Amino acid sequence: MAVTRFTTRSYPQDLRIFPSPAARISLVLLGALLLTFPLFMGTYGVFVACICGVSIISALGLNLLTGCTGLMSMGHAAFMGIGAYTAAILAARTGLPLIATLPLAGLAAALAGLIVGVPALRLKGLYLIVTTLAFQFIVEHVIYHWESLTQSDKGIALPSPDLFGFPLNSYQSYYYVILALAVAAAVFTKNLLMSRTGRAFVAIRDRDIAAEIIGIHMAKYKIMSFAISSFMAGVAGALYAYLLHLISPDHFTFNQSILYIAMIIVGGMGTVLGSILGAVFMVLLPEAINAVSGPLVSAYPDLAPRIGGLSVMVYGLIIIFFLLFEPLGLFGIWIRIKRYWKTWPYTY
Amino acid sequence: MGFLEIREISLHFKGIVALDRVSLNVEEGELVAVIGPNGAGKTCLLNCISGFYRPDGGNILFAGRDLAHWRPDQIAKLGISRTFQNVELFARMNVIDNMMLGRHHHFRHGFWHNALFGYRATEEAVHRRKVEEIIDFLEMERWRKHLVSSLPYGVQKRVELGRALVQEPRLLLLDEPMAGMNQEETEDIARFILDIHEELGTTIVMIEHDMDVVMDISKRICVLDFGRKIAEGTPGEVQKNLDVQKAYLGDDATTLLKKEGAG
């Protein structure tokens, strides 16, 4: 196998997302797997897949803001919360269908994003982190204490969603809605990143002075990044609300915001694939810990009260591991594996 | 009416006078050098033109427009591009991406088009062609897909020049394009600057410390010292100017030179 293949490609060919036939074939296989997934997995498996999908949409949003534009946000769960509560309140009180509540939830979150985005024009780094942190706590507080609207810790129950009269009353049917939206979100983000908008985001992240001098309107793109990111968080929050049928303030806490930051660090900052891998990894991790801890507890009953703390420790260790040894995250590992097989049996 | 008219601009930082009623006219198609000792206000002058600093007095007209209230990105769109003294590239991107960013304001498609059809990338290919032309022009083919941070300093400066060129500027501002370069790289850049000036017909305002280069390639020189313009003219005139000699060599040296001349 050739180590380096010198090929002549036209510019459009050079610009394709999936340049090789192998990549396209594996994409088709993955698509087939995802479409048939509910047929051979149990209800719980499909439920976990739904959570994965929601997390992917949300992580894509956060990665666009933090990974690509370089604006750190500690309030991502708050944006999800705004989306979830918008959808829940609209669905429970006015009976609006899913097709209307989802975009409205996104818009409500995007509006909040615009408001938080304005201080971001002047704040960078730590100062922005603290601002978004404050936003997170404000939203938590409002959700908890505006009882007439949110019913505080009693939570809001959502009716079962339907799409154009077709009831989505099982996880299996709802799975396809989430799958479609997750794919749409991934394509949307990939498109943005490959075009001038995405390049402008990255330019602002890397060197804002140079970005301005080549004609990038910094304020516009920073606000845009906040709005898109929070729109995606809002839609993800709404999907999450319908999935759980009941939402309460506990679902959108500061811990959740940290979890999303962990997703993009573990997955890979600033990449679409990284957001997906990171989200799936962080959702499956507690499942894996549960699977291990079951037999562990039955073997050593003394461990039972401490097993919860153990999972938090594993979380922390994994984040530290990635920060130290693989800053590019799972995406970096994936790239390395790909390169290894491309050039095999040579080392480079 | 001139192409670029700088009319008596002043700039103060608290008590420090960075620019004191500096005027300069540049005609379309000229190559003007701005020289002066360190801290003379040369970079401040460029920063005023490109909109990073707002002069407290006077105004700058470019092709008849007063630049007073324009943002840097709007000024870039008007057709003024520049390079920096310390390279300001996007270090984590490769050469092509850096230069594609230079095309930013030439793209017609906006956010929605990007988000929905980005993968078709038709417009992308058009701009890529322009980028490749400039890569050819500056002889950077072999670094195309290299990360900018992995390139030697001299090449990075060339990439930055390339990024300024793909913007298809009408006025190109160069802030010490030869700083920190060896003899060979300096000659290369000097040749490129002349090519840009002659083949592309771009108007250039250049700050440079390398006097050999300045005297060789510029038609007109403006000398700044402590924020004031102390001389302007052809290289020959400027070299003979006593104020300029004083600024560069100090009072004593000038008297020495005079004595030598007399003796």
Side-chain angles (χ1 to χ4, degrees):
Chain A
M1 189 176 170
V3 179
T4 321
R5 273 168 295 167
F6 288 101
T7 49
T8 0
R9 289 183 292 194
S10 68
Y11 299 141
Q13 278 168 340
D14 198 30
L15 294 165
R16 275 197 195 134
I17 302 183
F18 302 104
S20 70
R24 283 193 286 274
I25 290 169
S26 42
L27 191 71
V28 169
L29 288 178
L30 180 69
L33 177 74
L34 287 174
L35 282 174
T36 53
F37 189 76
L39 302 180
F40 52 83
M41 285 302 277
T43 310
Y44 186 68
V46 175
F47 175 75
V48 172
C50 287
I51 300 274
C52 280
V54 168
S55 304
I56 286 171
I57 297 173
S58 192
L60 281 166
L62 182 63
N63 218 341
L64 195 72
L65 182 71
T66 303
C68 300
T69 324
L71 301 169
M72 191 79 181
S73 169
M74 289 253 178
H76 204 61
F79 291 118
M80 285 183 76
I82 291 172
Y85 270 90
T86 309
I89 291 163
L90 287 174
R93 298 217 176 150
T94 67
L96 277 176
L98 180 74
I99 196 90
T101 54
L102 277 189
L104 286 173
L107 286 177
L111 191 69
L114 286 179
I115 294 165
V116 181
V118 172
L121 299 180
R122 294 200 166 266
L123 303 174
K124 277 189 210 171
L126 283 173
Y127 300 94
L128 182 62
I129 293 178
V130 172
T131 311
T132 53
L133 189 64
F135 175 74
Q136 167 74 39
F137 286 123
I138 290 169
V139 170
E140 270 184 46
H141 188 86
V142 168
I143 291 179
Y144 206 82
H145 290 278
W146 195 351
E147 223 172 323
S148 59
L149 191 72
T150 63
Q151 302 175 18
S152 189
D153 51 357
K154 283 200 292 292
I156 302 178
L158 284 94
S160 185
D162 63 272
L163 198 65
F164 304 118
F166 181 80
L168 304 167
N169 45 14
S170 67
Y171 289 139
Q172 275 82 357
S173 53
Y174 193 52
Y175 165 85
Y176 288 102
V177 174
I178 291 181
L179 177 64
L181 285 172
V183 170
V187 172
F188 169 89
T189 319
K190 186 76 192 171
N191 277 345
L192 269 190
L193 290 188
M194 287 189 69
S195 61
R196 86 162 184 160
T197 312
R199 263 198 306 265
F201 288 153
V202 179
I204 290 172
R205 176 193 73 189
D206 282 357
R207 214 165 261 263
D208 47 3
I209 294 175
E212 272 196 295
I213 207 67
I214 54 175
I216 293 169
H217 187 349
M218 198 147 63
K220 179 178 133 190
Y221 279 95
K222 278 188 175 177
I223 297 256
M224 196 196 252
S225 182
F226 252 107
I228 300 169
S229 158
S230 42
F231 182 89
M232 289 166 85
V235 171
L239 286 171
Y240 190 52
Y242 279 107
L243 182 67
L244 299 182
H245 297 301
L246 179 79
I247 52 162
S248 67
D250 299 343
H251 292 126
F252 308 102
T253 57
F254 176 59
N255 283 350
Q256 291 291 310
S257 282
I258 297 290
L259 180 68
Y260 279 98
I261 292 174
M263 280 179 195
I264 63 172
I265 291 175
V266 167
M269 292 283 241
T271 61
V272 170
L273 187 61
S275 317
I276 296 171
L277 294 175
V280 172
F281 185 87
M282 291 310 273
V283 171
L284 294 186
L285 186 64
E287 304 299 325
I289 291 174
N290 280 344
V292 177
S293 62
L296 209 62
V297 169
S298 53
Y300 306 97
D302 298 351
L303 271 179
R306 297 200 192 92
I307 211 81
L310 199 71
S311 67
V312 175
M313 266 172 59
V314 173
Y315 262 61
L317 284 176
I318 282 176
I319 293 177
I320 293 172
F321 169 83
F322 273 99
L323 285 176
L324 280 180
F325 300 109
E326 191 53 76
L328 290 176
L330 292 166
F331 177 76
I333 295 175
W334 164 251
I335 292 289
R336 217 168 315 125
I337 293 171
K338 220 166 75 172
R339 198 173 294 149
Y340 176 79
W341 287 110
K342 236 184 197 168
T343 54
W344 190 85
Y346 304 101
T347 39
Y348 61 89
Chain B
M1 189 186 62
F3 182 62
L4 175 73
E5 275 184 55
I6 299 169
R7 291 183 187 159
E8 303 222 315
I9 59 163
S10 298
L11 182 69
H12 302 259
F13 295 108
K14 302 242 168 79
I16 299 162
V17 181
L19 290 172
D20 184 15
R21 282 168 288 138
V22 173
S23 298
L24 177 68
N25 273 330
V26 180
E27 295 302 323
E28 192 151 16
E30 263 194 308
L31 199 169
V32 177
V34 178
I35 63 169
N38 286 330
K42 307 181 294 294
T43 301
C44 283
L45 184 69
L46 287 206
N47 281 345
C48 285
I49 302 175
S50 50
F52 281 125
Y53 295 156
R54 298 257 166 263
D56 338 298
N59 44 23
I60 302 174
L61 284 98
F62 175 67
R65 285 194 188 83
D66 190 341
L67 299 182
H69 300 293
W70 295 67
R71 288 190 314 267
D73 58 285
Q74 292 172 315
I75 290 175
K77 278 187 199 114
L78 284 180
I80 300 181
S81 71
R82 74 174 278 186
T83 66
F84 292 85
Q85 194 173 343
N86 310 309
V87 181
E88 294 273 346
L89 285 169
F90 306 107
R92 285 191 266 178
M93 296 183 206
N94 64 22
V95 172
I96 288 180
D97 282 339
N98 263 281
M99 293 180 63
M100 283 300 279
L101 266 161
R103 298 294 295 169
H104 182 82
H105 61 80
H106 290 280
F107 278 78
R108 279 174 304 116
H109 297 323
F111 164 70
W112 289 108
H113 194 282
N114 286 170
L116 298 175
F117 311 109
Y119 68 97
R120 287 193 191 152
T122 48
E123 199 192 13
E124 201 85 349
V126 176
H127 294 289
R128 176 70 179 274
R129 190 169 299 279
K130 179 72 198 171
V131 165
E132 297 285 350
E133 274 173 36
I134 299 292
I135 287 179
D136 276 358
F137 186 80
L138 296 179
E139 296 160 23
M140 302 193 296
E141 294 87 346
R142 61 196 174 111
W143 296 296
R144 254 201 213 110
K145 296 213 168 171
H146 286 219
L147 276 190
V148 166
S149 53
S150 71
L151 296 174
Y153 182 73
V155 180
Q156 290 192 12
K157 290 216 91 153
R158 213 190 290 183
V159 176
E160 206 190 17
L161 181 61
R163 190 184 63 190
L165 279 184
V166 292
Q167 293 177 52
E168 297 179 52
R170 297 169 67 194
L171 172 64
L172 180 61
L173 310 172
L174 303 173
D175 195 347
E176 299 198 20
M178 283 93 171
M181 291 194 169
N182 62 29
Q183 190 61 30
E184 195 190 333
E185 289 169 327
T186 304
E187 279 165 17
D188 279 348
I189 291 280
R191 190 164 46 83
F192 287 132
I193 292 175
L194 281 177
D195 283 350
I196 293 163
H197 184 232
E198 281 156 17
E199 281 180 38
L200 308 178
T202 313
T203 313
I204 299 176
V205 174
M206 170 180 84
I207 295 175
E208 186 48 59
H209 276 302
D210 190 324
M211 284 306 144
D212 292 339
V213 174
V214 170
M215 298 299 162
D216 261 4
I217 68 175
S218 51
K219 310 285 176 294
R220 205 148 58 82
I221 297 175
C222 160
V223 190
L224 295 183
D225 188 28
F226 290 114
R228 284 178 305 109
K229 185 167 92 174
I230 56 170
E232 190 185 330
T234 62
E237 289 165 8
V238 166
Q239 267 175 325
K240 289 194 202 89
N241 189 303
L242 279 181
D243 288 334
V244 177
Q245 292 176 1
K246 223 184 274 174
Y248 270 93
L249 305 170
D251 282 327
D252 300 344
T254 328
T255 35
L256 247 169
L257 277 177
K258 248 190 248 167
K259 270 182 203 158
E260 266 176 30

